[in-house]
């Protein structure tokens, strides 16, 4: 084959591949405008979810592991059987079971479609300090839960599962070495919506009745709330400064809230953390990134808490300081994530939360 023919063949082949890619993306865009199910399912199967998306069996054999820093990790404990993925992990500092200390109850993010309670690989020692292990090293018991994922399960299933996990810990926590001095609810991204709505149920009786739920925890047992890059207002789920993320978040939100329009969905309005908050809400620490994240929602929450006179701190770094993306706070190799961790711990201590290491 001559050089001229080879070049022509290459151009035609490249053009054909490019055309095929464009057709696939156009088809996917058109399909997603009707239903996001194929798009999200494709991403889950492509590796966004490890193993089965929703399973009534744990992904690993339940085990107790002493990590290199002395933390005891009790993994894959089943806390319920009504919904899939009803498993949790417990981190106990230095393996000191039955030591009375505050418990952080963590709910992971992932747009309600993926994510995992492990938040990375807690059993490995690498260059990036593991977020949940770091919390344990600072004197907290840490409980991290999984929950059922969309599109097979939607709102408000994760809320029900969090309630089941809390009841499980109230009944069986001591069997796993938890001797509580109160609980701190912490949620990242979609997990922030779940814990925020749950705490609203505990602190707002009228709102609890709307959802046909009853408070599970005494208000004085909730020592604090931490929102990490949290979804707080589903109406704004697709309103970041990143077009691709907006497209993805819109697809996830429409599936989870079972609506064609995030601006009109009843469940979207019902789930709004900011709207249903009252002055009983516990002391709260808020942080968010400044790029491709829910920054404006965090600012809205900060203003709302000012109005309600709720003790809180909003830790935010603008783009002039550093570009920080959605979920930056868990990447503890980042100097601003480290600073945020220090500020969060100081805030909790200043509000009478005494970790014990």
């Amino acid at each position: 084959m001559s050089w001229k023919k080879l070049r022509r063949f290459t151009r035609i082949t490249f053009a054909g591949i490019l055309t095929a890619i464009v057709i696939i993306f156009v088809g996917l865009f058109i399909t997603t405008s009707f239903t996001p199910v194929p798009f999200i399912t494709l991403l889950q199967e492509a590796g966004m979810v490890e193993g089965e998306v929703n399973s009534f069996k744990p992904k690993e054999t339940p085990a107790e592991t002493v990590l290199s820093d002395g933390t005891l990790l009790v993994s894959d404990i089943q806390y319920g059987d009504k919904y899939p993925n009803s498993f949790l992990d417990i981190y106990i500092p230095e393996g000191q079971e039955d030591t009375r200390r505050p418990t952080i109850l963590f709910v992971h993010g992932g747009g309600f479609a993926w994510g995992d309670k492990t938040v990375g690989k807690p059993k490995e020692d690498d260059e990036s300090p593991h977020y949940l292990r770091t919390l344990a090293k600072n004197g907290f018991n840490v409980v991290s839960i999984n929950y059922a994922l969309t599109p097979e399960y939607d709102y408000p299933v994760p809320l029900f599962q969090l309630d089941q996990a809390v009841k499980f810990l109230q009944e069986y926590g001591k069997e796993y070495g938890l001797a509580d001095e109160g609980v701190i609810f912490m949620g990242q991204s979609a997990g922030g919506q779940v814990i925020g709505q749950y705490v609203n149920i505990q602190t707002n009786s009228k709102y609890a009745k709307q959802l046909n739920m009853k408070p599970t925890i005494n208000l004085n047992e909730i020592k604090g709330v931490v929102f990490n890059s949290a979804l707080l207002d589903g109406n704004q789920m697709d309103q970041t400064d990143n077009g691709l993320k907006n497209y993805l978040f819109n697809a996830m939100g429409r599936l989870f809230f079972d609506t064609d329009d995030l601006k009109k969905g009843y469940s979207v309005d019902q789930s709004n953390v900011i709207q249903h908050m009252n002055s009983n809400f516990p002391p709260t620490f808020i942080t968010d990134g400044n790029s491709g994240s829910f920054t404006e929602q965090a600012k809205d929450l900060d203003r709302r808490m000012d109005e309600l006179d709720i003790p809180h701190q909003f830790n935010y770094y603008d783009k002039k300081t550093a570009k920080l993306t959605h979920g930056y706070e868990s990447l503890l190799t980042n100097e601003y994530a480290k600073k945020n961790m220090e500020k969060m711990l100081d805030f909790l201590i200043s509000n009478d939360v005494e970790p014990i290491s």
Side-chain angles (χ1 to χ4, degrees), residues 42-103:
L42 178 65
L43 291 176
Q44 289 173 330
E45 294 176 350
M48 293 304 295
V49 177
E50 188 176 323
E52 289 187 56
V53 175
N54 290 298
S55 175
F56 287 91
K57 296 180 180 180
K59 292 186 178 181
E60 296 186 10
T61 303
E64 293 189 9
T65 306
V66 178
L67 305 177
S68 61
D69 58 8
T71 302
L72 174 63
L73 171 58
V74 187
S75 57
D76 292 295
I77 303 164
Q78 186 170 9
Y79 65 79
D81 56 15
K82 185 174 182 180
Y83 302 105
N85 303 343
S86 295
F87 300 94
L88 58 81
D89 295 341
I90 299 174
Y91 300 76
I92 299 176
E94 299 296 330
Q96 296 172 348
E97 298 178 88
D98 299 322
T99 299
R100 299 193 67 84
R101 55 169 61 89
T103 294

Side-chain angles (χ1 to χ4, degrees), residues 145-162:
I145 74 167
N146 269 350
Y147 50 89
L149 300 175
T150 197
E152 188 176 359
Y153 292 84
D154 54 25
Y155 174 87
V157 169
L159 183 68
F160 296 155
Q161 288 181 276
L162 176 56

Side-chain angles (χ1 to χ4, degrees), residues 249-270:
F249 288 155
N250 178 273
M252 290 169 154
R254 285 164 55 204
L255 282 179
F256 180 69
F257 293 114
D258 191 24
T259 181
D260 293 330
D261 188 344
L262 292 175
K263 304 299 180 293
K264 298 178 181 178
Y266 172 78
S267 58
V268 177
D269 290 336
Q270 187 184 67

